[in-house]
Amino acid sequence: MLAIVPPAPATSSAAPSSGLQVLHWWTSASERRAADLLAQRLGKEGVQWEDAAIPGGAGIGAGKVLKGRVLAGDAPEVTQIIGVSVAEWAEMGLLLELDNVAVADNWRGVLFPTVQNLIKYRKHTMAAPLGIHRVNTLFYNRALFARLKLTPPTSWTEFDAVAARLLAAGVQPLAQSSEAWQVAALFENLVLAESGPAFYRALFVRRSPAAAFDARTAHALQRLRTIKGWAGGQLAERPWTEVVRRFATGQAGMMIMGDWAKPELAEHRMVLDQDYGCVGAPGTGAYHLYSVDTLSMFAGDYRHREAQEKMARLLLSPSIQADFNLLKGAVPVRRDADPARMDSCARASWTTFAGGEAVQAPSLVHRMATDEASRDAIIAEVHRYLLDDAVPVAVAQRRLAALFRLFNLTSQGTPGAQDTDRRR
């Protein structure tokens, strides 16, 4: 990570400010609506949202911009930092501790334990959580499935049978991009289906070389190649919004993507439970592959602290939690949320996540499982394997195992998914 000197303590001459620049990567049409809602609600409470949106799926572009701005001494007051990255930034002493708000509003009592752990570092609260996304979601075209008398596949064997029927009817079975993070997201779905959360954590959280060599990893890699065929063989590198558009316009019968696709489908006038259905990805119906949206505050000279704490408090309010996540496609981070206000897909997500760690798997792609450097290297290796059909499964396993050995040698003493004691 970056070598940066922590900010100096607040001085008495620092004047409070209610204008907060927010750096984030919510730039699709539907994400923009969700961000605008936050800006409007915060504005009514006297906190001005100064937008600094950076395009790029999975926050790749925003992460680079943030690092550059921090190095230049121009950090935004609020930024979208998620998962293990929260601990990485907190380690440098740059983030504002939100303990006053968390204690006063009983975040420990209302948040899901997994969410609570994600935002903690050395027993301090370092981020405000907004919503929980389910990454293991299968979307299917209801009209096509009804016409061909198909049912949503609950296993990969069933998926192959459905895909064959769709292909015979002249429809591409799966909408999928060759973009690196989207390929890796599909792979993490396959690992979860093959193994369940316990093995998934061994592979992506503990980064076990033995898990990399395991037959279950081999099966997931083999399945990734099979799905490449169902998605058209020679995949094109498309942004996720274009993948959604292709599904929405009937160019593919199915799509595996996080539930952030729901509001984007609404932009194409598709209605859940009418035009399309939403279920757990094959083999993962009982599990929740999660990504949690969070906003952290940079301390700076502390003159924005009052507005930052006010913003954190508002973000966790029941009304903003319900309304924001309805527009974002996610579900509230609060355990006391009202399921009646959720659609069928959201209710399934929220109820499954409430099952706790035994059914939860932290998304590698969305920074929930491991540190940024490890994540990037694993994504690159999986992407390389999929694009080059000449790479045998065993070679991909060997490369992953080698990466894991290197990561585990160099990660000692650094914040990450394995440092649970330091984060709690």
mmCIF file of all heavy atoms in Angstrom, residues 38 43 59 87 99 103 119 173 181 209 215 268 276 291 293 299 302-303 308 314 317 321 329 378 392 399 409 413:
data_model
loop_
_atom_site.group_PDB
_atom_site.id
_atom_site.type_symbol
_atom_site.label_atom_id
_atom_site.label_comp_id
_atom_site.label_asym_id
_atom_site.label_seq_id
_atom_site.Cartn_x
_atom_site.Cartn_y
_atom_site.Cartn_z
ATOM 1 N N LEU A 38 -29.309 9.658 -2.433
ATOM 2 C CA LEU A 38 -28.500 9.976 -1.253
ATOM 3 C C LEU A 38 -28.190 11.465 -1.206
ATOM 4 O O LEU A 38 -28.303 12.098 -0.136
ATOM 5 C CB LEU A 38 -27.202 9.175 -1.267
ATOM 6 C CG LEU A 38 -27.282 7.664 -1.058
ATOM 7 C CD1 LEU A 38 -25.875 7.059 -1.073
ATOM 8 C CD2 LEU A 38 -27.996 7.310 0.235
ATOM 9 N N GLY A 43 -28.887 16.497 1.372
ATOM 10 C CA GLY A 43 -29.062 17.934 1.194
ATOM 11 C C GLY A 43 -30.166 18.486 2.078
ATOM 12 O O GLY A 43 -30.060 19.602 2.613
ATOM 13 N N GLY A 59 -15.153 -0.888 -9.527
ATOM 14 C CA GLY A 59 -14.384 0.157 -8.866
ATOM 15 C C GLY A 59 -12.911 0.199 -9.213
ATOM 16 O O GLY A 59 -12.113 0.821 -8.500
ATOM 17 N N ALA A 87 -9.668 -1.986 5.811
ATOM 18 C CA ALA A 87 -8.573 -2.212 6.760
ATOM 19 C C ALA A 87 -7.245 -1.720 6.206
ATOM 20 O O ALA A 87 -6.403 -1.193 6.948
ATOM 21 C CB ALA A 87 -8.486 -3.701 7.101
ATOM 22 N N ASP A 99 -16.680 5.965 15.609
ATOM 23 C CA ASP A 99 -17.133 5.316 16.838
ATOM 24 C C ASP A 99 -18.271 6.071 17.518
ATOM 25 O O ASP A 99 -19.204 5.449 18.054
ATOM 26 C CB ASP A 99 -15.965 5.168 17.817
ATOM 27 C CG ASP A 99 -14.848 4.295 17.258
ATOM 28 O OD1 ASP A 99 -15.141 3.489 16.344
ATOM 29 O OD2 ASP A 99 -13.701 4.432 17.702
ATOM 30 N N VAL A 103 -21.686 4.020 18.228
ATOM 31 C CA VAL A 103 -22.122 3.738 19.596
ATOM 32 C C VAL A 103 -23.471 4.390 19.883
ATOM 33 O O VAL A 103 -24.390 3.750 20.411
ATOM 34 C CB VAL A 103 -21.065 4.212 20.616
ATOM 35 C CG1 VAL A 103 -21.612 4.111 22.045
ATOM 36 C CG2 VAL A 103 -19.790 3.387 20.474
ATOM 37 N N ILE A 119 -16.513 -3.382 8.701
ATOM 38 C CA ILE A 119 -16.258 -1.950 8.890
ATOM 39 C C ILE A 119 -15.393 -1.652 10.117
ATOM 40 O O ILE A 119 -15.127 -0.491 10.419
ATOM 41 C CB ILE A 119 -17.576 -1.158 8.994
ATOM 42 C CG1 ILE A 119 -18.388 -1.617 10.226
ATOM 43 C CG2 ILE A 119 -18.399 -1.306 7.722
ATOM 44 C CD1 ILE A 119 -19.619 -0.774 10.485
ATOM 45 N N PRO A 173 -27.427 -19.073 -24.944
ATOM 46 C CA PRO A 173 -27.852 -19.429 -23.584
ATOM 47 C C PRO A 173 -27.505 -18.396 -22.508
ATOM 48 O O PRO A 173 -28.313 -18.111 -21.634
ATOM 49 C CB PRO A 173 -27.131 -20.751 -23.319
ATOM 50 C CG PRO A 173 -26.888 -21.314 -24.675
ATOM 51 C CD PRO A 173 -26.599 -20.128 -25.544
ATOM 52 N N TRP A 181 -12.802 -8.820 -14.528
ATOM 53 C CA TRP A 181 -13.518 -8.954 -13.258
ATOM 54 C C TRP A 181 -14.811 -9.736 -13.427
ATOM 55 O O TRP A 181 -15.234 -10.452 -12.502
ATOM 56 C CB TRP A 181 -13.772 -7.584 -12.626
ATOM 57 C CG TRP A 181 -14.862 -6.744 -13.242
ATOM 58 C CD1 TRP A 181 -14.716 -5.805 -14.213
ATOM 59 C CD2 TRP A 181 -16.263 -6.757 -12.902
ATOM 60 N NE1 TRP A 181 -15.933 -5.224 -14.511
ATOM 61 C CE2 TRP A 181 -16.892 -5.778 -13.722
ATOM 62 C CE3 TRP A 181 -17.038 -7.470 -11.999
ATOM 63 C CZ2 TRP A 181 -18.264 -5.523 -13.668
ATOM 64 C CZ3 TRP A 181 -18.402 -7.223 -11.932
ATOM 65 C CH2 TRP A 181 -19.010 -6.264 -12.763
ATOM 66 N N PRO A 209 -2.631 -23.164 -0.775
ATOM 67 C CA PRO A 209 -2.108 -23.862 -1.950
ATOM 68 C C PRO A 209 -2.748 -25.239 -2.128
ATOM 69 O O PRO A 209 -2.991 -25.675 -3.262
ATOM 70 C CB PRO A 209 -0.607 -23.961 -1.662
ATOM 71 C CG PRO A 209 -0.320 -22.790 -0.772
ATOM 72 C CD PRO A 209 -1.539 -22.685 0.107
ATOM 73 N N ALA A 215 -9.336 -31.119 -6.236
ATOM 74 C CA ALA A 215 -10.162 -31.514 -7.383
ATOM 75 C C ALA A 215 -11.350 -30.580 -7.574
ATOM 76 O O ALA A 215 -11.809 -30.382 -8.715
ATOM 77 C CB ALA A 215 -10.656 -32.950 -7.204
ATOM 78 N N HIS A 268 -34.399 -0.772 -18.829
ATOM 79 C CA HIS A 268 -34.793 -1.327 -20.124
ATOM 80 C C HIS A 268 -36.258 -1.789 -20.103
ATOM 81 O O HIS A 268 -36.670 -2.576 -20.961
ATOM 82 C CB HIS A 268 -33.880 -2.503 -20.487
ATOM 83 C CG HIS A 268 -32.451 -2.122 -20.730
ATOM 84 N ND1 HIS A 268 -32.022 -1.536 -21.903
ATOM 85 C CD2 HIS A 268 -31.356 -2.210 -19.922
ATOM 86 C CE1 HIS A 268 -30.721 -1.303 -21.830
ATOM 87 N NE2 HIS A 268 -30.293 -1.701 -20.639
ATOM 88 N N TYR A 276 -38.726 -11.151 -16.318
ATOM 89 C CA TYR A 276 -37.576 -11.985 -15.976
ATOM 90 C C TYR A 276 -37.703 -12.504 -14.553
ATOM 91 O O TYR A 276 -38.446 -11.956 -13.725
ATOM 92 C CB TYR A 276 -36.263 -11.210 -16.136
ATOM 93 C CG TYR A 276 -36.019 -10.145 -15.079
ATOM 94 C CD1 TYR A 276 -35.256 -10.420 -13.939
ATOM 95 C CD2 TYR A 276 -36.541 -8.861 -15.209
ATOM 96 C CE1 TYR A 276 -35.028 -9.458 -12.974
ATOM 97 C CE2 TYR A 276 -36.313 -7.893 -14.247
ATOM 98 C CZ TYR A 276 -35.560 -8.188 -13.135
ATOM 99 O OH TYR A 276 -35.346 -7.227 -12.183
ATOM 100 N N SER A 291 -21.260 -8.894 -1.474
ATOM 101 C CA SER A 291 -20.454 -7.681 -1.570
ATOM 102 C C SER A 291 -21.211 -6.604 -0.812
ATOM 103 O O SER A 291 -22.420 -6.460 -0.989
ATOM 104 C CB SER A 291 -20.270 -7.259 -3.032
ATOM 105 O OG SER A 291 -19.647 -5.997 -3.116
ATOM 106 N N ASP A 293 -21.574 -2.602 0.091
ATOM 107 C CA ASP A 293 -21.216 -1.219 -0.222
ATOM 108 C C ASP A 293 -20.958 -0.439 1.063
ATOM 109 O O ASP A 293 -21.782 -0.469 1.986
ATOM 110 C CB ASP A 293 -22.345 -0.527 -0.986
ATOM 111 C CG ASP A 293 -22.286 -0.798 -2.482
ATOM 112 O OD1 ASP A 293 -21.174 -0.955 -3.013
ATOM 113 O OD2 ASP A 293 -23.348 -0.849 -3.116
ATOM 114 N N ALA A 299 -9.930 11.694 7.244
ATOM 115 C CA ALA A 299 -9.859 12.598 8.389
ATOM 116 C C ALA A 299 -9.413 14.003 7.985
ATOM 117 O O ALA A 299 -9.981 15.004 8.417
ATOM 118 C CB ALA A 299 -8.928 12.023 9.453
ATOM 119 N N TYR A 302 -9.854 17.526 9.899
ATOM 120 C CA TYR A 302 -11.006 17.316 10.780
ATOM 121 C C TYR A 302 -12.057 18.425 10.716
ATOM 122 O O TYR A 302 -13.039 18.380 11.446
ATOM 123 C CB TYR A 302 -10.559 17.121 12.242
ATOM 124 C CG TYR A 302 -9.777 15.853 12.471
ATOM 125 C CD1 TYR A 302 -8.390 15.846 12.343
ATOM 126 C CD2 TYR A 302 -10.414 14.668 12.787
ATOM 127 C CE1 TYR A 302 -7.647 14.681 12.531
ATOM 128 C CE2 TYR A 302 -9.688 13.495 12.982
ATOM 129 C CZ TYR A 302 -8.315 13.512 12.853
ATOM 130 O OH TYR A 302 -7.603 12.363 13.034
ATOM 131 N N ARG A 303 -11.901 19.395 9.829
ATOM 132 C CA ARG A 303 -12.909 20.453 9.797
ATOM 133 C C ARG A 303 -14.229 19.983 9.169
ATOM 134 O O ARG A 303 -15.249 20.661 9.293
ATOM 135 C CB ARG A 303 -12.384 21.675 9.046
ATOM 136 C CG ARG A 303 -12.084 21.488 7.586
ATOM 137 C CD ARG A 303 -11.329 22.680 7.003
ATOM 138 N NE ARG A 303 -10.949 22.499 5.618
ATOM 139 C CZ ARG A 303 -11.695 22.879 4.597
ATOM 140 N NH1 ARG A 303 -12.858 23.471 4.814
ATOM 141 N NH2 ARG A 303 -11.282 22.684 3.354
ATOM 142 N N GLN A 308 -19.356 14.837 8.237
ATOM 143 C CA GLN A 308 -19.085 13.427 7.947
ATOM 144 C C GLN A 308 -19.834 12.505 8.908
ATOM 145 O O GLN A 308 -20.413 11.494 8.500
ATOM 146 C CB GLN A 308 -17.574 13.167 8.026
ATOM 147 C CG GLN A 308 -16.778 13.792 6.878
ATOM 148 C CD GLN A 308 -15.283 13.756 7.138
ATOM 149 O OE1 GLN A 308 -14.829 14.061 8.255
ATOM 150 N NE2 GLN A 308 -14.502 13.410 6.124
ATOM 151 N N LEU A 314 -26.999 9.398 8.873
ATOM 152 C CA LEU A 314 -28.128 9.374 7.943
ATOM 153 C C LEU A 314 -28.110 8.136 7.059
ATOM 154 O O LEU A 314 -29.162 7.575 6.742
ATOM 155 C CB LEU A 314 -28.113 10.634 7.076
ATOM 156 C CG LEU A 314 -28.434 11.948 7.788
ATOM 157 C CD1 LEU A 314 -28.113 13.135 6.889
ATOM 158 C CD2 LEU A 314 -29.902 11.979 8.196
ATOM 159 N N SER A 317 -29.890 5.255 8.577
ATOM 160 C CA SER A 317 -31.284 5.427 8.982
ATOM 161 C C SER A 317 -32.175 4.442 8.226
ATOM 162 O O SER A 317 -31.909 4.130 7.055
ATOM 163 C CB SER A 317 -31.744 6.863 8.707
ATOM 164 O OG SER A 317 -31.784 7.115 7.312
ATOM 165 N N GLN A 321 -31.887 3.460 4.180
ATOM 166 C CA GLN A 321 -31.539 2.068 3.899
ATOM 167 C C GLN A 321 -32.561 1.416 2.969
ATOM 168 O O GLN A 321 -32.198 0.753 1.985
ATOM 169 C CB GLN A 321 -31.462 1.285 5.214
ATOM 170 C CG GLN A 321 -30.176 1.479 5.980
ATOM 171 C CD GLN A 321 -29.033 0.705 5.389
ATOM 172 O OE1 GLN A 321 -29.105 -0.511 5.217
ATOM 173 N NE2 GLN A 321 -27.969 1.396 5.051
ATOM 174 N N GLY A 329 -30.653 -2.130 -5.999
ATOM 175 C CA GLY A 329 -30.767 -3.560 -6.233
ATOM 176 C C GLY A 329 -30.253 -4.406 -5.090
ATOM 177 O O GLY A 329 -30.315 -5.636 -5.127
ATOM 178 N N ILE A 378 -5.116 -12.873 -8.668
ATOM 179 C CA ILE A 378 -5.983 -14.040 -8.880
ATOM 180 C C ILE A 378 -6.912 -13.799 -10.065
ATOM 181 O O ILE A 378 -7.103 -14.672 -10.918
ATOM 182 C CB ILE A 378 -6.792 -14.347 -7.604
ATOM 183 C CG1 ILE A 378 -5.864 -14.769 -6.465
ATOM 184 C CG2 ILE A 378 -7.825 -15.452 -7.875
ATOM 185 C CD1 ILE A 378 -6.544 -14.840 -5.116
ATOM 186 N N PRO A 392 -3.718 -25.812 -19.764
ATOM 187 C CA PRO A 392 -4.416 -26.913 -19.101
ATOM 188 C C PRO A 392 -4.898 -26.515 -17.701
ATOM 189 O O PRO A 392 -4.334 -25.615 -17.070
ATOM 190 C CB PRO A 392 -3.342 -28.004 -19.004
ATOM 191 C CG PRO A 392 -2.282 -27.616 -19.981
ATOM 192 C CD PRO A 392 -2.295 -26.121 -20.005
ATOM 193 N N ARG A 399 -0.335 -22.452 -11.091
ATOM 194 C CA ARG A 399 -0.062 -21.013 -11.037
ATOM 195 C C ARG A 399 -0.769 -20.355 -9.856
ATOM 196 O O ARG A 399 -0.201 -19.486 -9.186
ATOM 197 C CB ARG A 399 -0.500 -20.366 -12.345
ATOM 198 C CG ARG A 399 0.393 -20.710 -13.532
ATOM 199 C CD ARG A 399 -0.202 -20.200 -14.834
ATOM 200 N NE ARG A 399 0.688 -20.444 -15.968
ATOM 201 C CZ ARG A 399 0.342 -20.288 -17.232
ATOM 202 N NH1 ARG A 399 -0.888 -19.847 -17.537
ATOM 203 N NH2 ARG A 399 1.190 -20.527 -18.212
ATOM 204 N N LEU A 409 3.559 -15.514 2.073
ATOM 205 C CA LEU A 409 4.876 -15.138 2.586
ATOM 206 C C LEU A 409 4.986 -13.639 2.820
ATOM 207 O O LEU A 409 5.647 -13.189 3.750
ATOM 208 C CB LEU A 409 5.965 -15.574 1.587
ATOM 209 C CG LEU A 409 6.371 -17.047 1.594
ATOM 210 C CD1 LEU A 409 7.335 -17.322 0.444
ATOM 211 C CD2 LEU A 409 7.012 -17.431 2.930
ATOM 212 N N GLY A 413 1.819 -9.554 8.822
ATOM 213 C CA GLY A 413 1.948 -8.229 9.416
ATOM 214 C C GLY A 413 1.203 -7.144 8.679
ATOM 215 O O GLY A 413 1.282 -5.981 9.043
#
